[in-house]
Amino acid sequence: DFTKLREISASYTLPQRVSSRLGLRSSAITLAGRNLATWSPYRGNDPEIQTAQQAAQGNTNFGAIDFLSQAPFRQFVARLDLGF
């Protein structure tokens, strides 16, 4: 069993007076993060990738194994929306 925080985002629409000072009709800022945390007693890279032992026993998950695998990397994204 495991729990993952896969994605979270927040957007803020700038006030109209700020946008108009910049010569814009509207503007907004969005910040997002992906693959931020995993809570699990599993000690490998990713609890969604099975171990070589499980694969050898026939408990296959499309042939994926944990040996030399990499968990999804953490990403941070910033977006600026401008309306003209």
Side-chain angles (χ1 to χ4, degrees):
D1 292 337
F2 63 92
T3 302
K4 285 191 171 203
L5 179 57
R6 294 193 191 273
E7 184 165 346
I8 191 166
S9 65
S11 294
Y12 176 72
T13 302
L14 285 104
Q16 185 61 41
R17 59 182 163 71
V18 174
S19 296
S20 61
R21 283 186 197 159
L22 298 172
L24 303 169
R25 185 174 38 88
S26 62
S27 56
I29 298 171
T30 301
L31 301 174
R34 293 185 181 129
N35 302 314
L36 298 176
T38 301
W39 296 275
S40 171
Y42 181 70
R43 297 290 175 217
N45 288 334
D46 188 356
E48 289 184 295
I49 300 175
Q50 69 182 12
T51 64
Q53 181 182 8
Q54 289 171 326
Q57 293 172 351
N59 300 332
T60 60
N61 180 14
F62 304 107
I65 59 172
D66 198 19
F67 181 69
L68 294 178
S69 62
Q70 180 175 338
F73 57 92
R74 185 172 293 138
Q75 298 178 33
F76 295 98
V77 178
R79 186 176 87 188
L80 182 61
D81 295 313
L82 305 175
F84 294 94

